[in-house]
Amino acid sequence: MNRLGSLLALLWPLPLLASPMIIATGGEQGIYHQVAKEFCLLANKSDPELQCKLQATSGSIENLRQLQTGQIPYALVQSDWLYQASRGLGPYASQPQPELRAMFATHAEPFTIVVRADGDITTLAQLKLAPIDMGLKSSGTRQTALALFNLLGAKEQDLDLKSAGNLAEALCSKQIDAYGLVMGHPNRIVLDTTKRCAIRFLPIEGDIRDRLLKGVKYYQRSQVPARIYPGNLKATPTFAIAATLVTNAVTPEADVYRLTRAMLTQQTSFNEQTYGYANLFHKARNKTGPVLSIDQHPGAAKYFAELKAAGKL
């Protein structure tokens, strides 16, 4: 190469390498990790230079902390924890995160109460006197359950709360009369329970559900889908939170737009064997709008605006 060619080679800008778009999820066996893995696969297929990658975590609370400290740029977070962190409520009163921005909601996670089919529990009120497992003390499930029990006139100290190591075994061996989970369906724990004993789900509906949802952005009407679990041929009404893909306001608009578009342009290829698939927000219009408990990032909003302009929203 001559001197001029060498000089031009030095001055010519090298192509920029995209930084990995890392998403904090949850445990590797959990629904958040599975769902994010599918979205990442679709994104990388659509945009091979994107480098969408996952980081396993303990869940929403850790994800919010990592977003706040800048350790990761993206995360899946429960809509109720997301709302509280953004507004500085509850455990986030001393450390609000107003910089949080939603991209889109991935799937609904119905609050699901599982009881034995041959058991005596038929109403929510009966749970106030029964041995039950409503998740670990600091878990999202426990906080969601307590919001429900407060409306039933029972505080945490009034309940016979257990912490079973194996929920399926504990329910079927009658150590507990019910367990509750915030979860997408199908769910491994529930499927494991059906292999040990017959189950059914307690409905949460009518006035109690209306009161729970009144004035609250992070809950929505939902149901445990029919015909996923043996013996449960009808859908069971309940309420749900929305698992939401989240970033911070400082994340460049172009990056968020690129990732959102790459994840959603091929969603018809989403793996139906993914746990939580039954509650996935399949249509684009269900991923945005009122289902989001905080403001949407401009990069994601741009993509959904394009869908609307094209008549696809």
Side-chain angles (χ1 to χ4, degrees), residues 31 110 112-115 167-168 171-172 179-201 224 228-230 232 275:
I31 288 176
T112 307
I113 300 178
V114 185
V115 298
L167 290 172
L171 182 73
C172 293
Y179 66 78
L181 286 173
V182 176
M183 57 187 174
H185 294 280
N187 178 273
R188 282 193 179 96
I189 295 174
V190 180
L191 287 170
D192 185 32
T193 308
T194 64
K195 296 173 183 178
R196 298 168 181 257
C197 63
I199 65 162
R200 52 188 168 80
F201 304 106
V224 180
I228 289 182
Y229 306 103
N232 290 272
Y275 279 93

PDB file of all heavy atoms in Angstrom, residues 31 110 112-115 167-168 171-172 179-201 224 228-230 232 275:
ATOM      1  N   ILE A  31     -39.487 -17.869  34.794  1.00  0.00           N
ATOM      2  CA  ILE A  31     -40.208 -17.405  33.603  1.00  0.00           C
ATOM      3  C   ILE A  31     -39.576 -16.147  33.019  1.00  0.00           C
ATOM      4  O   ILE A  31     -39.487 -15.999  31.795  1.00  0.00           O
ATOM      5  CB  ILE A  31     -41.693 -17.180  33.948  1.00  0.00           C
ATOM      6  CG1 ILE A  31     -42.388 -18.529  34.148  1.00  0.00           C
ATOM      7  CG2 ILE A  31     -42.395 -16.387  32.856  1.00  0.00           C
ATOM      8  CD1 ILE A  31     -43.822 -18.437  34.580  1.00  0.00           C
ATOM      9  N   PRO A 110     -50.644 -13.424  36.531  1.00  0.00           N
ATOM     10  CA  PRO A 110     -51.814 -13.463  37.410  1.00  0.00           C
ATOM     11  C   PRO A 110     -51.447 -13.889  38.830  1.00  0.00           C
ATOM     12  O   PRO A 110     -50.618 -14.784  39.025  1.00  0.00           O
ATOM     13  CB  PRO A 110     -52.716 -14.520  36.756  1.00  0.00           C
ATOM     14  CG  PRO A 110     -52.231 -14.621  35.348  1.00  0.00           C
ATOM     15  CD  PRO A 110     -50.765 -14.357  35.406  1.00  0.00           C
ATOM     16  N   THR A 112     -52.096 -16.051  41.596  1.00  0.00           N
ATOM     17  CA  THR A 112     -52.728 -17.363  41.527  1.00  0.00           C
ATOM     18  C   THR A 112     -52.708 -18.033  42.890  1.00  0.00           C
ATOM     19  O   THR A 112     -51.636 -18.211  43.479  1.00  0.00           O
ATOM     20  CB  THR A 112     -51.990 -18.247  40.500  1.00  0.00           C
ATOM     21  OG1 THR A 112     -51.911 -17.559  39.246  1.00  0.00           O
ATOM     22  CG2 THR A 112     -52.703 -19.571  40.313  1.00  0.00           C
ATOM     23  N   ILE A 113     -53.890 -18.395  43.385  1.00  0.00           N
ATOM     24  CA  ILE A 113     -54.005 -19.098  44.668  1.00  0.00           C
ATOM     25  C   ILE A 113     -54.401 -20.541  44.394  1.00  0.00           C
ATOM     26  O   ILE A 113     -55.470 -20.813  43.832  1.00  0.00           O
ATOM     27  CB  ILE A 113     -55.019 -18.426  45.599  1.00  0.00           C
ATOM     28  CG1 ILE A 113     -54.601 -16.984  45.882  1.00  0.00           C
ATOM     29  CG2 ILE A 113     -55.144 -19.212  46.902  1.00  0.00           C
ATOM     30  CD1 ILE A 113     -55.570 -16.220  46.758  1.00  0.00           C
ATOM     31  N   VAL A 114     -53.531 -21.463  44.786  1.00  0.00           N
ATOM     32  CA  VAL A 114     -53.728 -22.886  44.512  1.00  0.00           C
ATOM     33  C   VAL A 114     -54.166 -23.590  45.789  1.00  0.00           C
ATOM     34  O   VAL A 114     -53.558 -23.413  46.853  1.00  0.00           O
ATOM     35  CB  VAL A 114     -52.413 -23.523  44.005  1.00  0.00           C
ATOM     36  CG1 VAL A 114     -52.636 -24.981  43.609  1.00  0.00           C
ATOM     37  CG2 VAL A 114     -51.841 -22.728  42.836  1.00  0.00           C
ATOM     38  N   VAL A 115     -55.229 -24.387  45.681  1.00  0.00           N
ATOM     39  CA  VAL A 115     -55.716 -25.180  46.812  1.00  0.00           C
ATOM     40  C   VAL A 115     -55.938 -26.622  46.343  1.00  0.00           C
ATOM     41  O   VAL A 115     -56.012 -26.884  45.139  1.00  0.00           O
ATOM     42  CB  VAL A 115     -57.041 -24.614  47.394  1.00  0.00           C
ATOM     43  CG1 VAL A 115     -56.835 -23.207  47.931  1.00  0.00           C
ATOM     44  CG2 VAL A 115     -58.146 -24.627  46.342  1.00  0.00           C
ATOM     45  N   LEU A 167     -43.409 -26.229  47.621  1.00  0.00           N
ATOM     46  CA  LEU A 167     -44.824 -25.874  47.685  1.00  0.00           C
ATOM     47  C   LEU A 167     -45.722 -27.033  47.278  1.00  0.00           C
ATOM     48  O   LEU A 167     -46.773 -27.264  47.898  1.00  0.00           O
ATOM     49  CB  LEU A 167     -45.097 -24.662  46.791  1.00  0.00           C
ATOM     50  CG  LEU A 167     -44.518 -23.335  47.261  1.00  0.00           C
ATOM     51  CD1 LEU A 167     -44.692 -22.262  46.195  1.00  0.00           C
ATOM     52  CD2 LEU A 167     -45.179 -22.892  48.564  1.00  0.00           C
ATOM     53  N   ALA A 168     -45.351 -27.747  46.243  1.00  0.00           N
ATOM     54  CA  ALA A 168     -46.172 -28.862  45.775  1.00  0.00           C
ATOM     55  C   ALA A 168     -46.313 -29.930  46.854  1.00  0.00           C
ATOM     56  O   ALA A 168     -47.420 -30.405  47.153  1.00  0.00           O
ATOM     57  CB  ALA A 168     -45.555 -29.461  44.506  1.00  0.00           C
ATOM     58  N   LEU A 171     -48.433 -28.620  49.937  1.00  0.00           N
ATOM     59  CA  LEU A 171     -49.884 -28.565  49.713  1.00  0.00           C
ATOM     60  C   LEU A 171     -50.488 -29.964  49.688  1.00  0.00           C
ATOM     61  O   LEU A 171     -51.494 -30.224  50.357  1.00  0.00           O
ATOM     62  CB  LEU A 171     -50.187 -27.841  48.395  1.00  0.00           C
ATOM     63  CG  LEU A 171     -51.677 -27.681  48.094  1.00  0.00           C
ATOM     64  CD1 LEU A 171     -52.299 -26.623  49.003  1.00  0.00           C
ATOM     65  CD2 LEU A 171     -51.911 -27.316  46.630  1.00  0.00           C
ATOM     66  N   CYS A 172     -49.871 -30.859  48.942  1.00  0.00           N
ATOM     67  CA  CYS A 172     -50.452 -32.191  48.766  1.00  0.00           C
ATOM     68  C   CYS A 172     -50.341 -33.061  50.012  1.00  0.00           C
ATOM     69  O   CYS A 172     -51.138 -33.990  50.203  1.00  0.00           O
ATOM     70  CB  CYS A 172     -49.805 -32.879  47.565  1.00  0.00           C
ATOM     71  SG  CYS A 172     -50.209 -32.067  45.993  1.00  0.00           S
ATOM     72  N   TYR A 179     -51.347 -22.123  48.525  1.00  0.00           N
ATOM     73  CA  TYR A 179     -50.180 -21.267  48.280  1.00  0.00           C
ATOM     74  C   TYR A 179     -50.525 -20.269  47.172  1.00  0.00           C
ATOM     75  O   TYR A 179     -51.389 -20.526  46.331  1.00  0.00           O
ATOM     76  CB  TYR A 179     -48.915 -22.063  47.959  1.00  0.00           C
ATOM     77  CG  TYR A 179     -48.888 -22.865  46.668  1.00  0.00           C
ATOM     78  CD1 TYR A 179     -48.670 -22.247  45.430  1.00  0.00           C
ATOM     79  CD2 TYR A 179     -48.994 -24.258  46.691  1.00  0.00           C
ATOM     80  CE1 TYR A 179     -48.603 -22.986  44.258  1.00  0.00           C
ATOM     81  CE2 TYR A 179     -48.915 -25.003  45.522  1.00  0.00           C
ATOM     82  CZ  TYR A 179     -48.716 -24.367  44.314  1.00  0.00           C
ATOM     83  OH  TYR A 179     -48.642 -25.105  43.164  1.00  0.00           O
ATOM     84  N   GLY A 180     -49.856 -19.147  47.231  1.00  0.00           N
ATOM     85  CA  GLY A 180     -50.083 -18.107  46.237  1.00  0.00           C
ATOM     86  C   GLY A 180     -48.792 -17.756  45.527  1.00  0.00           C
ATOM     87  O   GLY A 180     -47.714 -17.791  46.124  1.00  0.00           O
ATOM     88  N   LEU A 181     -48.907 -17.441  44.257  1.00  0.00           N
ATOM     89  CA  LEU A 181     -47.755 -17.029  43.470  1.00  0.00           C
ATOM     90  C   LEU A 181     -48.181 -15.971  42.457  1.00  0.00           C
ATOM     91  O   LEU A 181     -49.296 -16.030  41.921  1.00  0.00           O
ATOM     92  CB  LEU A 181     -47.141 -18.212  42.715  1.00  0.00           C
ATOM     93  CG  LEU A 181     -46.334 -19.248  43.502  1.00  0.00           C
ATOM     94  CD1 LEU A 181     -45.960 -20.420  42.595  1.00  0.00           C
ATOM     95  CD2 LEU A 181     -45.077 -18.617  44.082  1.00  0.00           C
ATOM     96  N   VAL A 182     -47.307 -15.025  42.205  1.00  0.00           N
ATOM     97  CA  VAL A 182     -47.469 -14.123  41.061  1.00  0.00           C
ATOM     98  C   VAL A 182     -46.694 -14.769  39.935  1.00  0.00           C
ATOM     99  O   VAL A 182     -45.473 -14.868  39.996  1.00  0.00           O
ATOM    100  CB  VAL A 182     -46.903 -12.720  41.378  1.00  0.00           C
ATOM    101  CG1 VAL A 182     -46.984 -11.830  40.145  1.00  0.00           C
ATOM    102  CG2 VAL A 182     -47.660 -12.085  42.531  1.00  0.00           C
ATOM    103  N   MET A 183     -47.395 -15.245  38.903  1.00  0.00           N
ATOM    104  CA  MET A 183     -46.706 -16.085  37.925  1.00  0.00           C
ATOM    105  C   MET A 183     -47.424 -16.107  36.587  1.00  0.00           C
ATOM    106  O   MET A 183     -48.631 -15.941  36.482  1.00  0.00           O
ATOM    107  CB  MET A 183     -46.608 -17.519  38.452  1.00  0.00           C
ATOM    108  CG  MET A 183     -47.945 -18.149  38.785  1.00  0.00           C
ATOM    109  SD  MET A 183     -47.712 -19.759  39.587  1.00  0.00           S
ATOM    110  CE  MET A 183     -49.418 -20.161  40.033  1.00  0.00           C
ATOM    111  N   GLY A 184     -46.636 -16.331  35.527  1.00  0.00           N
ATOM    112  CA  GLY A 184     -47.186 -16.610  34.218  1.00  0.00           C
ATOM    113  C   GLY A 184     -47.532 -18.084  34.133  1.00  0.00           C
ATOM    114  O   GLY A 184     -47.055 -18.897  34.932  1.00  0.00           O
ATOM    115  N   HIS A 185     -48.362 -18.422  33.174  1.00  0.00           N
ATOM    116  CA  HIS A 185     -48.797 -19.814  33.012  1.00  0.00           C
ATOM    117  C   HIS A 185     -48.491 -20.310  31.609  1.00  0.00           C
ATOM    118  O   HIS A 185     -48.550 -19.537  30.666  1.00  0.00           O
ATOM    119  CB  HIS A 185     -50.298 -19.921  33.287  1.00  0.00           C
ATOM    120  CG  HIS A 185     -50.678 -19.637  34.702  1.00  0.00           C
ATOM    121  ND1 HIS A 185     -50.555 -20.570  35.711  1.00  0.00           N
ATOM    122  CD2 HIS A 185     -51.149 -18.507  35.287  1.00  0.00           C
ATOM    123  CE1 HIS A 185     -50.943 -20.020  36.862  1.00  0.00           C
ATOM    124  NE2 HIS A 185     -51.307 -18.769  36.628  1.00  0.00           N
ATOM    125  N   PRO A 186     -48.158 -21.605  31.489  1.00  0.00           N
ATOM    126  CA  PRO A 186     -48.059 -22.634  32.531  1.00  0.00           C
ATOM    127  C   PRO A 186     -46.880 -22.382  33.454  1.00  0.00           C
ATOM    128  O   PRO A 186     -45.934 -21.682  33.090  1.00  0.00           O
ATOM    129  CB  PRO A 186     -47.884 -23.925  31.739  1.00  0.00           C
ATOM    130  CG  PRO A 186     -47.254 -23.492  30.458  1.00  0.00           C
ATOM    131  CD  PRO A 186     -47.828 -22.148  30.145  1.00  0.00           C
ATOM    132  N   ASN A 187     -46.954 -22.954  34.644  1.00  0.00           N
ATOM    133  CA  ASN A 187     -45.940 -22.739  35.660  1.00  0.00           C
ATOM    134  C   ASN A 187     -45.427 -24.085  36.163  1.00  0.00           C
ATOM    135  O   ASN A 187     -46.214 -24.996  36.426  1.00  0.00           O
ATOM    136  CB  ASN A 187     -46.537 -21.931  36.812  1.00  0.00           C
ATOM    137  CG  ASN A 187     -45.553 -21.702  37.932  1.00  0.00           C
ATOM    138  OD1 ASN A 187     -45.423 -22.529  38.824  1.00  0.00           O
ATOM    139  ND2 ASN A 187     -44.852 -20.577  37.885  1.00  0.00           N
ATOM    140  N   ARG A 188     -44.115 -24.191  36.316  1.00  0.00           N
ATOM    141  CA  ARG A 188     -43.503 -25.465  36.725  1.00  0.00           C
ATOM    142  C   ARG A 188     -44.004 -25.941  38.080  1.00  0.00           C
ATOM    143  O   ARG A 188     -44.267 -27.121  38.291  1.00  0.00           O
ATOM    144  CB  ARG A 188     -41.980 -25.310  36.782  1.00  0.00           C
ATOM    145  CG  ARG A 188     -41.270 -25.351  35.446  1.00  0.00           C
ATOM    146  CD  ARG A 188     -39.764 -25.517  35.666  1.00  0.00           C
ATOM    147  NE  ARG A 188     -39.052 -25.594  34.398  1.00  0.00           N
ATOM    148  CZ  ARG A 188     -38.480 -24.561  33.810  1.00  0.00           C
ATOM    149  NH1 ARG A 188     -38.567 -23.368  34.370  1.00  0.00           N
ATOM    150  NH2 ARG A 188     -37.841 -24.706  32.673  1.00  0.00           N
ATOM    151  N   ILE A 189     -44.116 -25.005  39.041  1.00  0.00           N
ATOM    152  CA  ILE A 189     -44.518 -25.392  40.394  1.00  0.00           C
ATOM    153  C   ILE A 189     -45.935 -25.958  40.399  1.00  0.00           C
ATOM    154  O   ILE A 189     -46.222 -26.980  41.032  1.00  0.00           O
ATOM    155  CB  ILE A 189     -44.411 -24.195  41.355  1.00  0.00           C
ATOM    156  CG1 ILE A 189     -42.952 -23.762  41.494  1.00  0.00           C
ATOM    157  CG2 ILE A 189     -45.005 -24.529  42.723  1.00  0.00           C
ATOM    158  CD1 ILE A 189     -42.746 -22.500  42.301  1.00  0.00           C
ATOM    159  N   VAL A 190     -46.824 -25.289  39.672  1.00  0.00           N
ATOM    160  CA  VAL A 190     -48.207 -25.767  39.614  1.00  0.00           C
ATOM    161  C   VAL A 190     -48.276 -27.111  38.894  1.00  0.00           C
ATOM    162  O   VAL A 190     -48.991 -28.026  39.323  1.00  0.00           O
ATOM    163  CB  VAL A 190     -49.121 -24.726  38.939  1.00  0.00           C
ATOM    164  CG1 VAL A 190     -50.552 -25.233  38.885  1.00  0.00           C
ATOM    165  CG2 VAL A 190     -49.067 -23.396  39.681  1.00  0.00           C
ATOM    166  N   LEU A 191     -47.534 -27.261  37.816  1.00  0.00           N
ATOM    167  CA  LEU A 191     -47.516 -28.537  37.100  1.00  0.00           C
ATOM    168  C   LEU A 191     -46.990 -29.655  37.986  1.00  0.00           C
ATOM    169  O   LEU A 191     -47.517 -30.777  37.975  1.00  0.00           O
ATOM    170  CB  LEU A 191     -46.670 -28.418  35.833  1.00  0.00           C
ATOM    171  CG  LEU A 191     -47.287 -27.607  34.695  1.00  0.00           C
ATOM    172  CD1 LEU A 191     -46.259 -27.356  33.596  1.00  0.00           C
ATOM    173  CD2 LEU A 191     -48.510 -28.306  34.126  1.00  0.00           C
ATOM    174  N   ASP A 192     -45.974 -29.355  38.786  1.00  0.00           N
ATOM    175  CA  ASP A 192     -45.436 -30.341  39.719  1.00  0.00           C
ATOM    176  C   ASP A 192     -46.483 -30.724  40.762  1.00  0.00           C
ATOM    177  O   ASP A 192     -46.612 -31.891  41.140  1.00  0.00           O
ATOM    178  CB  ASP A 192     -44.189 -29.776  40.402  1.00  0.00           C
ATOM    179  CG  ASP A 192     -43.504 -30.798  41.299  1.00  0.00           C
ATOM    180  OD1 ASP A 192     -43.556 -32.008  40.987  1.00  0.00           O
ATOM    181  OD2 ASP A 192     -42.911 -30.390  42.321  1.00  0.00           O
ATOM    182  N   THR A 193     -47.264 -29.721  41.197  1.00  0.00           N
ATOM    183  CA  THR A 193     -48.312 -29.995  42.187  1.00  0.00           C
ATOM    184  C   THR A 193     -49.368 -30.934  41.612  1.00  0.00           C
ATOM    185  O   THR A 193     -49.828 -31.862  42.299  1.00  0.00           O
ATOM    186  CB  THR A 193     -48.972 -28.685  42.643  1.00  0.00           C
ATOM    187  OG1 THR A 193     -47.971 -27.765  43.068  1.00  0.00           O
ATOM    188  CG2 THR A 193     -49.936 -28.933  43.793  1.00  0.00           C
ATOM    189  N   THR A 194     -49.749 -30.728  40.342  1.00  0.00           N
ATOM    190  CA  THR A 194     -50.796 -31.564  39.733  1.00  0.00           C
ATOM    191  C   THR A 194     -50.360 -33.019  39.598  1.00  0.00           C
ATOM    192  O   THR A 194     -51.198 -33.916  39.472  1.00  0.00           O
ATOM    193  CB  THR A 194     -51.193 -31.028  38.346  1.00  0.00           C
ATOM    194  OG1 THR A 194     -50.071 -31.108  37.447  1.00  0.00           O
ATOM    195  CG2 THR A 194     -51.681 -29.593  38.433  1.00  0.00           C
ATOM    196  N   LYS A 195     -49.042 -33.265  39.617  1.00  0.00           N
ATOM    197  CA  LYS A 195     -48.549 -34.639  39.542  1.00  0.00           C
ATOM    198  C   LYS A 195     -48.660 -35.345  40.886  1.00  0.00           C
ATOM    199  O   LYS A 195     -48.573 -36.576  40.960  1.00  0.00           O
ATOM    200  CB  LYS A 195     -47.088 -34.649  39.076  1.00  0.00           C
ATOM    201  CG  LYS A 195     -46.893 -34.126  37.660  1.00  0.00           C
ATOM    202  CD  LYS A 195     -45.423 -34.011  37.315  1.00  0.00           C
ATOM    203  CE  LYS A 195     -45.231 -33.419  35.922  1.00  0.00           C
ATOM    204  NZ  LYS A 195     -43.791 -33.242  35.578  1.00  0.00           N
ATOM    205  N   ARG A 196     -48.861 -34.579  41.958  1.00  0.00           N
ATOM    206  CA  ARG A 196     -48.925 -35.133  43.306  1.00  0.00           C
ATOM    207  C   ARG A 196     -50.362 -35.224  43.825  1.00  0.00           C
ATOM    208  O   ARG A 196     -50.694 -36.141  44.575  1.00  0.00           O
ATOM    209  CB  ARG A 196     -48.102 -34.277  44.272  1.00  0.00           C
ATOM    210  CG  ARG A 196     -46.615 -34.224  43.944  1.00  0.00           C
ATOM    211  CD  ARG A 196     -45.924 -33.144  44.747  1.00  0.00           C
ATOM    212  NE  ARG A 196     -44.505 -33.027  44.447  1.00  0.00           N
ATOM    213  CZ  ARG A 196     -43.519 -33.488  45.194  1.00  0.00           C
ATOM    214  NH1 ARG A 196     -43.802 -34.112  46.329  1.00  0.00           N
ATOM    215  NH2 ARG A 196     -42.268 -33.323  44.852  1.00  0.00           N
ATOM    216  N   CYS A 197     -51.182 -34.238  43.461  1.00  0.00           N
ATOM    217  CA  CYS A 197     -52.573 -34.244  43.911  1.00  0.00           C
ATOM    218  C   CYS A 197     -53.416 -33.357  43.003  1.00  0.00           C
ATOM    219  O   CYS A 197     -52.886 -32.504  42.268  1.00  0.00           O
ATOM    220  CB  CYS A 197     -52.691 -33.772  45.371  1.00  0.00           C
ATOM    221  SG  CYS A 197     -52.170 -32.061  45.669  1.00  0.00           S
ATOM    222  N   ALA A 198     -54.720 -33.534  43.057  1.00  0.00           N
ATOM    223  CA  ALA A 198     -55.641 -32.719  42.257  1.00  0.00           C
ATOM    224  C   ALA A 198     -55.747 -31.325  42.874  1.00  0.00           C
ATOM    225  O   ALA A 198     -55.803 -31.185  44.104  1.00  0.00           O
ATOM    226  CB  ALA A 198     -57.005 -33.381  42.181  1.00  0.00           C
ATOM    227  N   ILE A 199     -55.783 -30.300  42.033  1.00  0.00           N
ATOM    228  CA  ILE A 199     -55.828 -28.920  42.522  1.00  0.00           C
ATOM    229  C   ILE A 199     -56.959 -28.140  41.857  1.00  0.00           C
ATOM    230  O   ILE A 199     -57.538 -28.566  40.857  1.00  0.00           O
ATOM    231  CB  ILE A 199     -54.499 -28.180  42.241  1.00  0.00           C
ATOM    232  CG1 ILE A 199     -54.295 -28.047  40.725  1.00  0.00           C
ATOM    233  CG2 ILE A 199     -53.327 -28.890  42.899  1.00  0.00           C
ATOM    234  CD1 ILE A 199     -53.285 -27.011  40.319  1.00  0.00           C
ATOM    235  N   ARG A 200     -57.246 -26.996  42.427  1.00  0.00           N
ATOM    236  CA  ARG A 200     -58.099 -25.994  41.788  1.00  0.00           C
ATOM    237  C   ARG A 200     -57.596 -24.624  42.213  1.00  0.00           C
ATOM    238  O   ARG A 200     -56.710 -24.515  43.061  1.00  0.00           O
ATOM    239  CB  ARG A 200     -59.573 -26.187  42.148  1.00  0.00           C
ATOM    240  CG  ARG A 200     -59.863 -26.284  43.612  1.00  0.00           C
ATOM    241  CD  ARG A 200     -61.332 -26.668  43.842  1.00  0.00           C
ATOM    242  NE  ARG A 200     -61.552 -27.043  45.235  1.00  0.00           N
ATOM    243  CZ  ARG A 200     -61.711 -26.181  46.229  1.00  0.00           C
ATOM    244  NH1 ARG A 200     -61.693 -24.871  45.972  1.00  0.00           N
ATOM    245  NH2 ARG A 200     -61.900 -26.587  47.467  1.00  0.00           N
ATOM    246  N   PHE A 201     -58.159 -23.596  41.614  1.00  0.00           N
ATOM    247  CA  PHE A 201     -57.721 -22.227  41.879  1.00  0.00           C
ATOM    248  C   PHE A 201     -58.867 -21.440  42.514  1.00  0.00           C
ATOM    249  O   PHE A 201     -60.037 -21.601  42.145  1.00  0.00           O
ATOM    250  CB  PHE A 201     -57.292 -21.541  40.583  1.00  0.00           C
ATOM    251  CG  PHE A 201     -56.222 -22.286  39.841  1.00  0.00           C
ATOM    252  CD1 PHE A 201     -56.530 -22.995  38.676  1.00  0.00           C
ATOM    253  CD2 PHE A 201     -54.920 -22.308  40.298  1.00  0.00           C
ATOM    254  CE1 PHE A 201     -55.550 -23.692  37.994  1.00  0.00           C
ATOM    255  CE2 PHE A 201     -53.930 -23.008  39.628  1.00  0.00           C
ATOM    256  CZ  PHE A 201     -54.253 -23.706  38.471  1.00  0.00           C
ATOM    257  N   VAL A 224     -56.542 -17.094  35.330  1.00  0.00           N
ATOM    258  CA  VAL A 224     -55.709 -18.280  35.147  1.00  0.00           C
ATOM    259  C   VAL A 224     -56.330 -19.018  33.970  1.00  0.00           C
ATOM    260  O   VAL A 224     -57.500 -19.402  34.027  1.00  0.00           O
ATOM    261  CB  VAL A 224     -55.707 -19.174  36.398  1.00  0.00           C
ATOM    262  CG1 VAL A 224     -54.821 -20.399  36.170  1.00  0.00           C
ATOM    263  CG2 VAL A 224     -55.237 -18.391  37.616  1.00  0.00           C
ATOM    264  N   ILE A 228     -55.050 -25.682  31.017  1.00  0.00           N
ATOM    265  CA  ILE A 228     -53.599 -25.824  31.078  1.00  0.00           C
ATOM    266  C   ILE A 228     -53.221 -26.892  32.100  1.00  0.00           C
ATOM    267  O   ILE A 228     -52.266 -27.649  31.906  1.00  0.00           O
ATOM    268  CB  ILE A 228     -52.934 -24.482  31.433  1.00  0.00           C
ATOM    269  CG1 ILE A 228     -53.058 -23.522  30.255  1.00  0.00           C
ATOM    270  CG2 ILE A 228     -51.478 -24.665  31.813  1.00  0.00           C
ATOM    271  CD1 ILE A 228     -52.391 -22.185  30.492  1.00  0.00           C
ATOM    272  N   TYR A 229     -54.031 -26.964  33.178  1.00  0.00           N
ATOM    273  CA  TYR A 229     -53.754 -27.911  34.264  1.00  0.00           C
ATOM    274  C   TYR A 229     -54.898 -28.925  34.360  1.00  0.00           C
ATOM    275  O   TYR A 229     -56.068 -28.569  34.172  1.00  0.00           O
ATOM    276  CB  TYR A 229     -53.610 -27.155  35.586  1.00  0.00           C
ATOM    277  CG  TYR A 229     -52.580 -26.050  35.535  1.00  0.00           C
ATOM    278  CD1 TYR A 229     -52.960 -24.709  35.437  1.00  0.00           C
ATOM    279  CD2 TYR A 229     -51.215 -26.337  35.570  1.00  0.00           C
ATOM    280  CE1 TYR A 229     -52.022 -23.689  35.377  1.00  0.00           C
ATOM    281  CE2 TYR A 229     -50.267 -25.333  35.512  1.00  0.00           C
ATOM    282  CZ  TYR A 229     -50.676 -24.006  35.411  1.00  0.00           C
ATOM    283  OH  TYR A 229     -49.741 -23.000  35.341  1.00  0.00           O
ATOM    284  N   PRO A 230     -54.582 -30.187  34.661  1.00  0.00           N
ATOM    285  CA  PRO A 230     -55.610 -31.237  34.749  1.00  0.00           C
ATOM    286  C   PRO A 230     -56.752 -30.851  35.685  1.00  0.00           C
ATOM    287  O   PRO A 230     -56.529 -30.345  36.787  1.00  0.00           O
ATOM    288  CB  PRO A 230     -54.836 -32.441  35.299  1.00  0.00           C
ATOM    289  CG  PRO A 230     -53.427 -32.195  34.901  1.00  0.00           C
ATOM    290  CD  PRO A 230     -53.226 -30.720  34.942  1.00  0.00           C
ATOM    291  N   ASN A 232     -58.924 -28.484  35.488  1.00  0.00           N
ATOM    292  CA  ASN A 232     -59.333 -27.078  35.495  1.00  0.00           C
ATOM    293  C   ASN A 232     -59.722 -26.669  34.079  1.00  0.00           C
ATOM    294  O   ASN A 232     -58.913 -26.167  33.295  1.00  0.00           O
ATOM    295  CB  ASN A 232     -58.203 -26.213  36.043  1.00  0.00           C
ATOM    296  CG  ASN A 232     -57.993 -26.422  37.532  1.00  0.00           C
ATOM    297  OD1 ASN A 232     -58.616 -25.778  38.366  1.00  0.00           O
ATOM    298  ND2 ASN A 232     -57.116 -27.367  37.873  1.00  0.00           N
ATOM    299  N   TYR A 275     -42.349 -21.222  29.175  1.00  0.00           N
ATOM    300  CA  TYR A 275     -43.249 -21.058  30.315  1.00  0.00           C
ATOM    301  C   TYR A 275     -43.714 -19.614  30.363  1.00  0.00           C
ATOM    302  O   TYR A 275     -42.941 -18.677  30.172  1.00  0.00           O
ATOM    303  CB  TYR A 275     -42.537 -21.429  31.620  1.00  0.00           C
ATOM    304  CG  TYR A 275     -42.504 -22.913  31.862  1.00  0.00           C
ATOM    305  CD1 TYR A 275     -41.421 -23.677  31.445  1.00  0.00           C
ATOM    306  CD2 TYR A 275     -43.561 -23.563  32.469  1.00  0.00           C
ATOM    307  CE1 TYR A 275     -41.396 -25.053  31.644  1.00  0.00           C
ATOM    308  CE2 TYR A 275     -43.546 -24.935  32.676  1.00  0.00           C
ATOM    309  CZ  TYR A 275     -42.459 -25.668  32.265  1.00  0.00           C
ATOM    310  OH  TYR A 275     -42.441 -27.032  32.451  1.00  0.00           O
TER     311      TYR A 275
END
